[in-house]
Amino acid sequence: MDGDDRVTQALDAVPREAFLPPGARSRARDDVAILIGQGQTCSQPSTVSAMLHLLDVRPGQRVLDIGSGSGWTTALLAHLTGSGGRVLGVELEPELVRWGAANLARCRMPWASIRPALPGVLGDPDHGPWDRILVSAAAPALPQSLVDQLVERGRMVVPVAGTLTLVVREGGSLTTSSHGHYRFVPLRGVPPGG
């Protein structure tokens, strides 16, 4: 099954509705970002699909989900890695950590978890490196601290200054490519120097 089919299958298998506040669930199929509280949103399905296609998650990989919010992207990533993988979602907002973790727990994918982001630390360098990193918040510049958490041949998808950016680390160098303009909430907690 190619990446396109796998992403479509994941989106079908992990319905967005279960990751929205009760009053917003009727809008789950609308292709719009939906407020989930704490000034955060659940990204529109077409945006999430574009990010997942670029990320190209493979079974068994270790994936870091930054800005896990409602837990939807963490669950989608866990579906893509399968039980042989490991997915960690990190989130700054304590209320969203609790709610997102509860949403994720209902999916019964114990290889995925959500925890609070550590103050002043972007990502999770202590448990890296990571095969894939998904960032669901806009960075003002490419965060070097996240690049440093990628394995050789690792991929990261991150909105940088409004442009969806794919970063591939290979042979000791980085290749970046731009994939359209998107609006995201700002990435907070970026340490000085990124």
Side-chain angles (χ1 to χ4, degrees):
M1 185 180 300
D2 68 22
D4 286 352
D5 289 341
R6 293 185 68 245
V7 169
T8 300
Q9 184 185 60
L11 290 164
D12 289 343
V14 184
R16 187 186 190 206
E17 179 179 348
F19 296 86
L20 295 175
R25 289 180 183 158
S26 64
R27 299 177 53 216
R29 294 190 184 272
D30 294 351
D31 196 30
V32 296
I34 294 177
L35 290 170
I36 57 172
Q38 311 301 313
Q40 307 299 310
T41 63
C42 179
S43 295
Q44 63 195 70
S46 62
T47 300
V48 172
S49 177
M51 295 175 83
L52 293 178
H53 280 105
L54 289 171
L55 200 59
D56 190 27
V57 175
R58 303 297 175 139
Q61 288 186 323
R62 292 169 40 82
V63 184
L64 180 61
D65 184 21
I66 297 174
S68 55
S70 69
W72 187 42
T73 53
T74 307
L76 289 166
L77 292 165
H79 183 85
L80 291 167
T81 68
S83 60
R86 174 160 185 253
V87 180
L88 174 63
V90 293
E91 171 60 51
L92 270 176
E93 294 292 341
E95 288 296 319
L96 292 181
V97 171
R98 286 189 283 276
W99 182 56
N103 292 338
L104 180 63
R106 287 193 294 275
C107 294
R108 297 192 173 128
M109 293 188 278
W111 58 95
S113 60
I114 295 173
R115 70 153 180 78
L118 299 174
V121 177
L122 191 54
D124 189 341
D126 291 342
H127 295 98
W130 302 94
D131 297 299
R132 300 290 189 264
I133 299 175
L134 180 67
V135 184
S136 296
L142 184 62
Q144 184 61 44
S145 59
L146 291 180
V147 170
D148 293 343
Q149 293 174 51
L150 280 174
V151 298
E152 170 70 8
R153 294 189 178 166
R155 295 168 75 97
M156 174 169 60
V157 173
V158 54
V160 177
T163 300
L164 195 59
T165 304
L166 170 63
V167 179
V168 180
R169 182 178 202 160
E170 189 162 8
S173 64
L174 289 183
T175 303
T176 62
S177 54
S178 299
H179 299 272
H181 294 281
Y182 293 83
R183 291 185 66 189
F184 283 84
V185 296
L187 181 62
R188 294 182 297 134
V190 182

